[in-house]
Amino acid sequence: MDTRFPGFAAPVLDAQASFRAVLEAMSRPGRVETVTPPPEVPPGLSPAAAAMLLTLVDAVTPLRLAAGAEAEAWVRFHCGCPMRRDGAAFVLDPTATLMELDAGTDEEPEHGATLILEVAALEEGSGWRLTGPGIRDAHRLHVRGAPAGFVADWARSRARFPRGVDAILCADTRIAALPRTVRIEEA
Amino acid sequence: MYVATKGGEQAIGAAHAWLAETRRGDATLPELTVPQIEEQLGLAVDRVMAEGSCHDRGLAALAVKQAKGDLIEAAFLLRAYRTTLPRFGASAALDTGAMHIRRRISATYKDLPGGQVLGPTFDYTHRLLDFALAAEGNALPAVPHAEPNTAQTPRVTELLAREGLMQREATSEAEPGDLTRDPLSFPADRAVRLQALARGDEGFLLGLGYSTQRGYGNAHPFVGEIRVGEVAVCFTPPELGFEIELGDIGVTECQMVNQFKGSRTEPPQFTRGYGLVFGHGERKAMAMALVDRGLRAEELGEDADAPAQQQEFVLYHCDNVEATGFVEHLKLPHYVDFQSELENVRTMRASAMQAAAE
Amino acid sequence: MNAQTGYNFAYVDESTKRMIRRAILKGVAIPGHQVPFGSREMPLPYGWGTGGIQVTASILGPSDVLKVIDQGADDTTNAVSIRAFFRRVAGVATTERTAEATVIQTRHRIPEHALTERQILVYQVPMPEPLFRLEARVAETKRMHALADYGLMHVKLYEDIARHGHIATSYNYPVMVDGRYLMSPSPIPAFDNPKMDRMPALQLFGAGREKRIYAVPPYTAVRSLDFEDHPFRPIRAPHACTLCGSRESYLDEVITDDRGGKMFVCSDTDYCAERQAAKAAAE
């Protein structure tokens, strides 16, 4: 269970910078932020997804991961998280669908999972029309390579509020986030 | 011309210097050393370890010195230090049955295996101020020495359990919760409750435990036993794969025996209230055992309307570091809120007086 | 680990920061909902801002500029002490200028200057539960939040109106966030409540002793509870600041002698100093 791929070059400061990127992204849904990735990442993970795992996942957060053996060895070594399919706090699995993930309870909605979703590209200014908390009027986010039926699933998931799932979209070194409150309309 | 008060930083620095000076006191007297506190104010040190939730007599003694003898302040110093320490793993459960006993008494049996061992206790001292202690250099009375008792000293509650008279505790391999890592949530299980009580304020638990004896909660307690001594802390390092002994720590354990009338599922029997604290702290261990039993009311199907039986009330208020923080924070400036209250009361008075005039 | 201080950057260890960061993200995703977190003992007492300090420590980076205020002022002793703490353990730049700060930690006030998108406001919160005076049991208030059952609070406010002719709450005035969660704005004067509504800056709330974190994302609706026939009215002393002349800012009442003499000055020291400097420059 060894890995030749490193973690953050400067663990404390890179984690802080990546956290601020995801905090900004979660606070302003649809805004695209750039993370500080590790110098090299294992196959199966984008630099952005790798940075999110290093920033947020550790021994107390079960992870559902499907990104190949090298990525798994890297995550086990650097994050030390338990791997679990059910009841995972973080999910990085392209086959996962929103409605099957842990959505928390009405009393403890914070237990809803965070989905880390690899996509092909993220661009501001066109595409989905996002509205909700964090957005003054509307943000436009173009997501290339989102799973089929994602927008319809999102609407179903969002209807459960305050229960729900939050998503971090990753493409290369860029991220955008979708808190469970955001409303997505197709362009 | 009014000028707002400035220079907070200098004022804070000056206050700290003055504090250091008063801590030292009369400089013509010899300075108290940390080992002196550790050796000669041992019960204060023990209380700070218990409420500071960190077993280190030297650090606790240092905290007592730094806090000028304010034991809650000292417990806070130790807690703030403790929270920065790395965690290497969890030790095995202490086996108090294998304790090196300094003191062991039972109130429920005249004699029992292992015997009654009075040990170093205040219990039968006459509380007459000993003016001889005011002078230094007194010779100590001779302490008769006996061979340490190496015979097995079974726990009283175990003797009762063998007869089926004492409710067995449910055993579990589940990882116990840790309220220093995860916030309390309710209902809290017994392991978390006991952790909170073990760290809790001695005075608060004493008052609550006392209340259960006076009818606030239906307690009929007997001291099954109190034992004070040293127990080994054992740990299995993952890289070794077998258990090693890390060392001994001093603890006080109290097992309180309480009658239980039985329920639909359980026959009448005795139930246990449990207390365990770092160091020598009988009052705290006993109070803890009373309150532990009080908090079991709900699970035993008893009425739970007395303060000592209410989980939220007890667990949220037993921590003296939290309590002292919130009570004492009232001395921080609140003039912004007070100003809004002033305007509010002035408005209400004006309309009340107008109404009275009409 | 910093060799000079012997502690990690910003004091808090990395696994604690991760735990707090996760709680902050969930707080942002569920506006106004209190997220329990494993609050640690800080080297400052509970009640002195340990929740705010833990939030600030978890977001702060080397390029941030930190401002700390207590009662609106940068020079109150606790603000001075917290600012010095972060200078020491994080080596960050600090400022007293609202406009220059990227992170502002506050106790009891929102600065008079409108905050911007590039700023984060961190509130120190003594009691996160807005319902605690009406229902002390946390297990019960949790249930009420789950059901959005806030009837008790409306009844309380209505009783105020019946008795006093208006709502007799002047600070820590409860708000509804995004139409869903009832939230304590922390003990800011009700005067400051309207500033929370659709604020461009992110607002984070930390309650250390009560072990709760919550958040209001930017541009989120924050409505002070009221009734149609008794709309919310922020209270302010009906005077001008003696130092800068402001009639818009929140004022402190200062007693100047024991014969009833008093004056009113801005609670926000930076706002007041800026206005005084502008006045002096104009003269």
Side-chain angles (χ1 to χ4, degrees):
Chain A
M1 202 190 66
D2 223 357
T3 182
R4 65 181 181 84
F5 296 96
F8 280 133
V12 172
L13 300 183
D14 293 353
Q16 188 273 336
S18 293
F19 170 69
R20 281 293 278 276
V22 66
L23 177 61
E24 193 64 17
M26 196 62 87
S27 301
R28 303 174 196 279
R31 288 276 176 86
V32 176
E33 299 288 327
T34 301
V35 302
T36 306
E40 205 187 342
V41 295
L45 288 180
S46 66
M52 287 300 102
L53 292 171
L54 291 173
T55 303
L56 298 173
V57 174
D58 60 24
V60 297
T61 51
L63 172 69
R64 169 173 164 186
L65 180 70
E70 277 192 276
E72 187 170 331
W74 178 85
V75 170
R76 279 185 193 279
F77 183 81
H78 289 288
C79 302
C81 54
M83 298 290 185
R84 195 182 299 165
R85 194 181 159 82
D86 295 322
F90 288 86
V91 177
L92 200 169
D93 178 347
T95 68
T97 57
L98 292 169
M99 295 304 282
E100 69 175 299
L101 303 183
D102 194 345
T105 63
D106 284 333
E107 288 200 358
E108 296 179 329
E110 68 277 10
H111 291 166
T114 303
L115 175 66
I116 300 173
L117 190 61
E118 300 270 22
V119 297
L122 292 166
E123 285 300 335
E124 286 182 26
S126 65
W128 293 349
R129 183 173 184 275
L130 308 181
T131 49
I135 301 169
R136 197 178 66 187
D137 302 309
H139 282 168
R140 290 281 186 165
L141 178 67
H142 181 65
V143 181
R144 204 145 55 74
F150 184 83
V151 172
D153 267 2
W154 186 265
R156 262 194 298 279
S157 179
R158 186 176 170 276
R160 301 177 292 181
F161 190 83
R163 298 169 63 231
V165 173
D166 311 303
I168 303 170
L169 312 182
C170 301
D172 191 28
T173 60
R174 289 148 67 84
I175 57 168
L178 302 171
R180 65 191 72 183
T181 46
V182 74
R183 178 196 301 271
I184 309 178
E185 293 162 88
E186 305 249 28
Chain B
M1 179 63 194
Y2 167 77
V3 184
T5 28
K6 289 265 178 200
E9 208 141 353
Q10 289 99 303
I12 291 171
H16 292 175
W18 198 352
L19 175 69
E21 190 184 278
T22 61
R23 176 191 295 121
R24 177 61 181 86
D26 183 347
T28 62
L29 295 174
E31 185 178 346
L32 204 51
T33 69
V34 170
Q36 282 171 347
I37 295 170
E38 192 181 332
E39 289 300 314
Q40 297 175 41
L41 297 175
L43 295 182
V45 169
D46 285 353
R47 179 168 178 182
V48 169
M49 288 199 306
E51 292 167 8
S53 206
C54 178
H55 195 292
D56 188 314
R57 296 185 59 81
L59 289 178
L62 171 62
V64 171
K65 178 174 178 176
Q66 187 176 333
K68 300 172 68 181
D70 178 338
L71 299 189
I72 292 181
E73 177 69 19
F76 176 29
L77 286 168
L78 199 54
R79 290 255 195 109
Y81 175 77
R82 173 194 192 277
T83 195
T84 65
L85 298 175
R87 292 175 176 229
F88 298 114
S91 68
L94 294 182
D95 180 7
T96 51
M99 181 186 282
H100 258 323
I101 281 172
R102 261 187 289 146
R103 168 163 164 79
R104 187 272 194 127
I105 51 165
S106 168
T108 50
Y109 293 100
K110 182 170 185 189
D111 200 4
L112 68 170
Q116 306 265 17
V117 183
L118 269 188
T121 177
F122 290 122
D123 284 357
Y124 306 100
T125 61
H126 298 150
R127 269 57 167 205
L128 304 169
L129 269 180
D130 182 357
F131 294 101
L133 270 181
E136 287 165 42
N138 283 316
L140 287 173
V143 184
H145 275 274
E147 282 307 301
N149 181 1
T150 52
Q152 272 297 316
T153 309
R155 298 188 190 93
V156 168
T157 45
E158 185 54 37
L159 303 174
L160 283 166
R162 264 183 232 157
E163 224 184 305
L165 291 173
M166 170 58 73
Q167 187 190 46
R168 293 262 180 205
E169 302 303 336
T171 56
S172 165
E173 288 305 309
E175 195 66 32
D178 181 352
L179 57 83
T180 69
R181 315 305 280 183
D182 302 306
L184 279 171
S185 65
F186 293 93
D189 68 27
R190 192 157 174 220
V192 168
R193 290 181 337 231
L194 287 170
Q195 184 190 13
L197 299 179
R199 290 158 55 90
D201 181 68
E202 179 171 315
F204 181 78
L205 295 182
L206 178 66
L208 273 180
Y210 177 46
S211 73
T212 68
Q213 292 177 279
R214 290 194 68 260
Y216 290 87
N218 188 25
H220 303 276
F222 295 95
V223 170
E225 95 170 68
I226 293 170
R227 53 174 66 196
V228 184
E230 271 64 46
V231 286
V233 177
C234 298
F235 177 62
T236 306
E239 62 274 24
L240 286 184
F242 55 85
E243 193 170 273
I244 55 168
E245 224 182 273
L246 297 178
D248 287 342
I249 62 169
V251 297
T252 303
E253 182 185 60
C254 173
Q255 304 229 33
M256 207 65 94
V257 177
N258 291 261
Q259 197 202 91
F260 171 53
K261 294 204 163 60
S263 66
R264 259 173 303 179
T265 51
E266 291 197 68
Q269 59 189 328
F270 293 107
T271 53
R272 186 179 340 222
Y274 187 76
L276 182 86
V277 296
F278 284 157
H280 190 169
E282 288 173 42
R283 186 188 300 123
K284 165 78 178 278
M286 293 174 76
M288 175 177 170
L290 290 174
V291 176
D292 170 49
R293 179 59 182 80
L295 292 175
R296 298 183 64 197
E298 212 150 342
E299 89 190 50
L300 295 170
E302 301 168 341
D303 291 339
D305 36 27
Q309 295 168 323
Q310 288 168 17
Q311 283 195 18
E312 273 208 37
F313 182 78
V314 175
L315 302 186
Y316 272 135
H317 301 121
C318 68
D319 189 295
N320 55 23
V321 176
E322 290 177 6
T324 200
F326 202 41
V327 168
E328 292 199 51
H329 106 286
L330 290 173
K331 65 193 168 191
L332 295 181
H334 281 77
Y335 53 79
V336 161
D337 293 345
F338 186 69
Q339 182 60 39
S340 61
E341 283 292 79
L342 270 177
E343 293 305 327
N344 194 19
V345 170
R346 279 174 184 146
T347 310
M348 287 196 289
R349 272 175 69 85
S351 44
M353 271 138 104
Q354 195 183 348
E358 276 164 12
Chain C
M1 196 63 68
N2 180 316
Q4 246 183 344
T5 63
Y7 291 102
N8 192 27
F9 177 80
Y11 178 79
V12 178
D13 65 275
E14 289 302 298
S15 73
T16 299
K17 280 187 198 164
R18 271 193 299 276
M19 175 270 296
I20 294 171
R21 287 168 177 167
R22 289 190 294 261
I24 292 173
L25 289 179
K26 287 301 172 194
V28 170
I30 315 166
H33 168 66
Q34 302 163 47
V35 180
F37 80 111
S39 175
R40 305 289 194 252
E41 269 115 358
M42 290 286 108
L44 279 72
Y46 289 119
W48 266 242
T50 54
I53 290 170
Q54 289 179 80
V55 169
T56 297
S58 302
I59 64 176
L60 213 57
S63 57
D64 276 311
V65 180
L66 176 69
K67 173 181 165 85
V68 183
I69 50 173
D70 188 336
Q71 313 297 298
D74 299 90
D75 54 10
T76 33
T77 39
N78 200 38
V80 168
S81 159
I82 293 173
R83 197 160 55 236
F85 175 72
F86 280 113
R87 240 190 344 251
R88 180 163 157 196
V89 298
V92 292
T94 58
T95 183
E96 299 193 358
R97 306 292 304 274
T98 300
E100 286 170 5
T102 57
V103 175
I104 302 172
Q105 180 169 325
T106 181
R107 177 168 172 265
H108 294 190
R109 275 311 310 276
I110 298 175
E112 304 292 359
H113 272 304
L115 301 184
T116 67
E117 287 201 357
R118 39 171 290 283
Q119 296 179 306
I120 299 177
L121 184 58
V122 178
Y123 295 76
Q124 300 174 198
V125 181
M127 202 55 194
E129 179 48 67
L131 295 160
F132 84 100
R133 287 189 199 285
L134 306 172
E135 172 54 71
R137 291 167 298 177
V138 175
E140 190 55 27
T141 54
K142 226 166 131 173
R143 194 193 58 80
M144 292 158 79
H145 286 293
L147 301 171
D149 174 5
Y150 300 132
L152 260 187
M153 184 57 88
H154 285 101
V155 169
K156 189 249 169 208
L157 295 180
Y158 204 80
E159 280 173 357
D160 270 10
I161 292 170
R163 192 171 312 151
H164 309 293
H166 65 103
I167 293 170
T169 301
S170 60
Y171 64 95
N172 208 347
Y173 190 107
V175 295
M176 281 299 282
V177 178
D178 196 33
R180 173 58 180 80
Y181 277 102
L182 185 71
M183 186 187 93
S184 160
S186 88
I188 57 172
F191 174 85
D192 281 340
N193 274 22
K195 296 176 187 162
M196 303 179 86
D197 184 40
R198 301 184 60 80
M199 182 191 279
L202 170 64
Q203 303 174 71
L204 301 176
F205 299 78
R209 187 181 41 78
E210 295 287 333
K211 303 173 175 61
R212 296 287 187 279
I213 283 172
Y214 52 101
V216 176
Y219 304 114
T220 299
V222 176
R223 190 177 66 77
S224 303
L225 284 193
D226 61 359
F227 298 93
E228 256 175 42
D229 47 345
H230 286 276
F232 170 78
R233 273 183 326 171
I235 302 177
R236 172 184 181 278
H239 302 277
C241 170
T242 308
L243 302 180
C244 78
S246 174
R247 291 193 167 274
E248 282 79 49
S249 70
Y250 191 78
L251 300 176
D252 294 336
E253 183 170 327
V254 180
I255 309 276
T256 51
D257 56 44
D258 58 1
R259 297 180 305 277
K262 57 183 154 189
M263 61 189 285
F264 292 85
V265 295
C266 290
S267 134
D268 183 334
T269 47
D270 173 55
Y271 170 86
C272 193
E274 201 170 275
R275 284 178 50 94
Q276 289 177 63
K279 212 162 69 171
E283 279 164 10

